[in-house]
Amino acid sequence: KPDFRIATDNAWAEHRTLHQLYQAAHTPWEWLSELFARAGRMGIALFGSVFDHSSVAALECFDPPAYKIAAPEICDLPLLRTVAATGKPVLLSTGLASLADLATAVDVLVAHGAGGIVLLKCSTAYPAPEDEINLRTIPNLAETFACPAGFSDHTLGMGVALAAVALGAQVIEKHFTLDDEDTVDGFFSLQADAFAAMIAEIHRAGRALGQVEYSVTPAARANAQGRRSLYVAAPIAAGERFTAENVKSVRPGYGMDTRYYDIVLGRRATRNLAVGDRLSWDVVG
């Protein structure tokens, strides 16, 4: 009898038990030496998810910069203690955790010396339905646990990851594949070109977040002439009153600000004005 449910028609369906699934999906330990060597040459900070004490010991041989705790392991307190004792930062997926589970895990990691914690909002489903993601939890995670929050993305495409960045995600985890083979997680992974495009758009979104700002930016200031201002719409003789017929709000914005329209009406011109003259206080008596 299967000990987990298969919800999609893909490579997962070939594995009837969790043991068979992880036997097919795990990273062989003999790959680690070359993986870390190549990552070092490429300037990539390589680390991994650990599922038992022996995998922590194996990775520690390569001094990874951090550790990932996958969602199913969040309640494995002995494993959390072992990882925390390395003093490395820990990325913790929340996909199968209650708020109480999270609080316990964070307390254990802090108490045993973790070098920082990042909580990754996650829905442990493959692919994850967009209406179950609840990205608004991300800023709440950061506030509740006073630590950076991110997003472990199992949805299709890149749109949800970009939305997570807009809501404050500091870390994005996303599966990718180098080809379209039917691998265990290939059916919800991005191929390399799409993954690169996602990274570019994430950086674009991050730059666009900026700060709370209501002033006109330098780039926008160049188009300030697009605002309206007050201009003469019919010939006005010196001493003649300004009216709705001879004063109009038009572009460009080089004339008197339109906020003074009601103040100007009824006052008299100090000199003759022609159609197209911009209003200024020196011609308003």
Side-chain angles (χ1 to χ4, degrees):
K1 180 180 178 180
D3 59 5
F4 72 110
R5 295 181 62 187
I6 298 295
T8 53
D9 182 18
N10 52 62
W12 287 47
E14 298 176 7
H15 311 291
R16 299 292 294 168
T17 67
L18 284 173
H19 182 271
Q20 290 173 349
L21 172 66
Y22 290 123
Q23 186 68 28
H26 79 284
T27 302
W29 285 6
E30 59 268 24
W31 290 8
L32 292 180
S33 180
E34 177 58 24
L35 284 172
F36 276 93
R38 182 169 299 190
R41 292 193 297 270
M42 300 177 67
I44 296 173
L46 184 64
F47 60 97
S49 297
V50 288
F51 298 90
D52 61 13
H53 305 280
S54 63
S55 56
V56 178
L59 281 179
E60 272 296 282
C61 294
F62 302 95
D63 193 26
Y67 282 97
K68 165 75 187 300
I69 298 294
E73 274 59 57
I74 197 167
C75 293
D76 187 345
L77 302 188
L79 177 61
L80 296 184
R81 289 194 291 266
T82 297
V83 171
T86 68
K88 306 286 179 58
V90 179
L91 291 84
L92 189 67
S93 275
T94 68
L96 293 174
S98 67
L99 186 60
D101 292 332
L102 285 176
T104 298
V106 169
D107 286 346
V108 168
L109 291 172
V110 170
H112 290 82
I117 299 170
V118 178
L119 295 177
L120 301 181
K121 179 67 179 74
C122 176
S123 176
T124 304
Y126 309 93
E130 289 86 353
D131 59 358
E132 293 185 8
I133 300 301
N134 297 311
L135 289 179
R136 295 186 193 278
T137 309
I138 291 173
N140 185 260
L141 277 173
E143 180 180 4
T144 301
F145 293 100
C147 68
F151 179 46
S152 177
D153 186 10
H154 300 147
T155 64
L156 300 176
M158 66 177 74
V160 180
L162 297 179
V165 172
L167 285 169
Q170 299 294 302
V171 174
I172 297 294
E173 179 188 39
K174 184 75 172 178
H175 293 240
F176 82 97
T177 180
L178 296 177
D179 51 45
D180 59 358
E181 291 183 4
D182 192 18
T183 57
V184 168
D185 60 1
F187 68 99
F188 66 93
S189 301
L190 292 182
Q191 292 193 29
D193 288 349
F195 194 84
M198 182 192 71
I199 292 173
E201 292 303 315
I202 283 174
H203 287 307
R204 187 194 303 271
R207 291 192 299 272
L209 287 175
Q211 59 190 0
V212 177
E213 178 60 67
Y214 291 100
S215 66
V216 179
T217 65
R221 197 172 298 125
N223 294 306
Q225 71 273 18
R227 288 172 58 105
R228 292 178 178 269
S229 61
L230 300 181
Y231 278 78
V232 175
I236 303 173
E240 185 179 348
R241 292 186 185 278
F242 294 106
T243 68
E245 286 69 39
N246 60 29
V247 173
K248 298 294 183 183
S249 168
V250 297
R251 296 183 179 89
Y254 299 130
M256 182 182 290
D257 196 293
T258 56
R259 76 184 73 179
Y260 301 119
Y261 178 76
D262 291 335
I263 296 174
V264 168
L265 293 187
R267 299 178 71 167
R268 297 181 184 275
T270 60
R271 60 177 175 83
N272 294 337
L273 296 170
V275 174
D277 286 347
R278 66 184 70 167
L279 285 194
S280 57
W281 286 114
D282 64 308
V283 301
V284 177

